[in-house]
Amino acid sequence: MKHQPFEEWLLNDTPLSHAQKRELDLHVRSCAYCSALLETEKVLHSVRMAVPAEGFTVRFQARLAERRLAERRRRLWGSVLFLLGGALFLLWLLAPSLFAVLASPQAWVASLVKWGIFLVTTLQAATQAAVVVLRVIADLMPPFAWLILLSAFAGMSLIWSISIWRFTRVPQGV
Amino acid sequence: MTDEKTWVLQAQQGSDEAFTQLVETYQKPVYNLCYRMLGEPELAEDAAQETFLRAYQGLHRYDASRPFGTWILSIAAHYCIDNLRRKKFAMFSMDIETDDGATFELPDASAPDPETESVRKEQRDRLHLLLKKLDATDRAAVILRYWYDFSEVEIANSLNLTVSAVKSRLHRSRRALAGMWQEEPSPARPERRAYETPAF
């Protein structure tokens, strides 16, 4: 049996003229498939909404709280594992030095003191040099150059702060 | 600004109360979609809850130019489709309204008489069973079209399909439903429940 154009009419919910409606009615009476198509269409147009059991929102809040707690625990465990891993990695890196320290502690302390003195004297020398250079530059540079330099420094700081804020912002949610 | 937009904005700023208002407003449509997709009240409840959790987590991604309802139904549809694809569901049990009140349909105030309403309800239950035999995406398209009056464009946006694909899926589903409607006999009328009065 030919289903066209009746099937198309039914599938597309085509608005029909009186003559077309009569034609469709006649066809549907003799065609089981188109009759089923029409019947399912009617049922689909009379569907109802199923509603959840009472207290859906309360259950949602409980589930949200549970999920947040689980997320916090997960983050805590993540941090602990990360720190533990870092500590182990550091230990692995420092293992040769540690063995050396344990083998001759006096020699290690002496070299540490020597290195510390070197560091302090170097820093003092560098500071004095920087002070001298700054004094010379301050006399040479005009005020507007200082203004430009400070503005550039402030701008860079602002960009840096915004970048940190954007990257570290925690998205809304659990 | 409408209440809904205010709630969304407040929820995006971290207000749990505002999000609760959204849950209160959309619990029925979301639950209904999940119920029609998954077929079981327990699964539907779980899916609806998960939908709201996902919406909550993804609120910062919500595009305010889109209706919130369309967005959340889209999340629910995708969740249910993924769920159905992951699991090979066994034949569903007959889960027409349960006596313990786990699932109800909203009553129809304009119902002409109990007998006609009973026949219609039987037909709806039958359709509900047939829907479960459709492909997950086809089922979602049919539900969005007939339960929510979504246009083909809205369905396409919600399910990430083209409009022509939606049209073709809707036609295919309608043909399949008609075929099954023809083939499968109408289920026997259920046993009369204790609280029901006899017809005669």
Side-chain angles (χ1 to χ4, degrees):
Chain A
M1 180 175 281
K2 276 188 175 179
H3 301 301
Q4 296 306 342
F6 311 107
E7 189 190 34
E8 281 302 312
W9 290 352
L10 289 168
L11 290 177
N12 292 320
D13 288 337
T14 314
L16 302 176
S17 65
H18 283 295
Q20 286 174 321
K21 276 181 190 166
R22 269 201 304 276
E23 229 181 307
L24 176 66
D25 191 44
L26 273 174
H27 174 77
V28 162
R29 282 180 198 182
S30 58
C31 174
Y33 168 71
C34 288
S35 167
L37 207 54
L38 183 64
E39 207 173 341
T40 48
E41 189 197 352
K42 282 180 182 166
V43 181
L44 280 169
H45 281 296
S46 73
V47 289
R48 302 279 173 74
M49 295 289 264
V51 296
E54 285 288 314
F56 183 89
T57 311
V58 176
R59 291 194 296 282
F60 169 75
Q61 285 166 333
R63 194 182 275 221
L64 181 61
E66 209 174 280
R67 191 66 65 93
R68 276 176 173 160
L69 190 69
E71 181 65 19
R72 267 189 224 123
R73 278 190 191 141
R74 199 181 63 78
R75 279 190 187 163
L76 182 72
W77 276 109
S79 308
V80 167
L81 284 176
F82 181 76
L83 288 174
L84 206 69
L88 284 173
F89 181 68
L90 208 63
L91 205 67
W92 177 72
L93 281 181
L94 294 174
S97 313
L98 276 176
F99 283 125
V101 169
L102 291 173
S104 58
Q106 290 101 339
W108 184 79
V109 170
S111 73
L112 195 70
V113 169
K114 202 174 153 188
W115 189 79
I117 290 166
F118 167 74
L119 197 69
V120 169
T121 49
T122 309
L123 272 174
Q124 276 175 344
T127 314
Q128 279 169 0
V131 167
V132 171
V133 169
L134 276 173
R135 273 184 195 152
V136 172
I137 289 175
D139 291 341
L140 291 176
M141 269 176 73
F144 73 87
W146 278 109
L147 203 67
I148 291 169
L149 196 70
L150 287 173
S151 305
F153 183 71
M156 294 277 276
S157 304
L158 191 69
I159 292 169
W160 179 73
S161 309
I162 291 170
S163 311
I164 296 284
W165 175 72
R166 288 288 299 266
F167 283 116
T168 55
R169 190 170 56 137
V170 179
Q172 168 64 32
V174 290
Chain B
M1 195 182 278
T2 60
D3 276 354
E4 183 185 292
K5 283 194 174 170
T6 312
W7 293 334
V8 171
L9 205 66
Q10 288 173 348
Q12 280 177 326
Q13 287 161 355
S15 164
D16 280 359
E17 271 177 46
F19 194 77
T20 304
Q21 290 292 340
L22 291 169
V23 174
E24 200 68 52
T25 309
Y26 285 99
Q27 57 172 304
K28 283 175 194 168
V30 169
Y31 175 83
N32 178 65
L33 175 65
C34 297
Y35 178 62
R36 302 299 167 191
M37 285 294 291
L38 303 173
E40 307 247 8
E42 296 79 16
L43 294 176
E45 164 86 17
D46 198 52
Q49 295 274 355
E50 194 55 40
T51 298
F52 283 111
L53 281 174
R54 286 182 177 201
Y56 185 81
Q57 285 173 308
L59 260 182
H60 60 286
R61 285 194 301 271
Y62 167 63
D63 171 13
S65 64
R66 259 178 100 183
F68 186 78
T70 311
W71 182 66
I72 199 147
L73 286 174
S74 163
I75 296 176
H78 282 291
Y79 179 77
C80 293
I81 290 169
D82 290 347
N83 219 324
L84 287 167
R85 282 182 185 157
R86 265 200 308 273
K87 293 176 189 172
K88 284 278 173 196
F89 279 97
M91 277 300 289
F92 294 100
S93 59
M94 282 289 287
D95 50 56
I96 306 162
E97 290 102 308
T98 54
D99 287 348
D100 60 2
T103 295
F104 324 83
E105 282 183 346
L106 290 173
D108 181 10
S110 62
D113 63 75
E115 193 62 25
T116 313
E117 178 52 22
S118 164
V119 172
R120 283 188 187 167
K121 197 189 140 322
E122 196 176 291
Q123 288 180 327
R124 286 196 297 269
D125 292 340
R126 192 175 163 203
L127 181 80
H128 182 69
L129 293 174
L130 295 183
L131 263 184
K132 293 170 187 168
K133 295 180 181 170
L134 295 178
D135 162 80
T137 311
D138 291 359
R139 196 185 309 175
V142 169
I143 293 166
L144 290 174
R145 175 78 187 88
Y146 292 99
W147 268 268
Y148 300 91
D149 283 330
F150 271 31
S151 67
E152 282 161 0
V153 176
E154 284 172 317
I155 299 172
N157 288 337
S158 298
L159 301 178
N160 298 335
L161 298 169
T162 60
V163 175
S164 59
V166 168
K167 206 169 181 174
S168 128
R169 278 177 184 273
L170 283 173
H171 283 194
R172 187 171 67 196
S173 308
R174 289 281 310 278
R175 286 193 187 103
L177 285 173
M180 290 186 285
W181 193 269
Q182 251 183 297
E183 284 163 17
E184 294 193 12
S186 183
R189 290 178 82 83
E191 286 289 309
R192 195 181 299 283
R193 293 169 185 162
Y195 53 80
E196 284 180 337
T197 53
F200 300 103

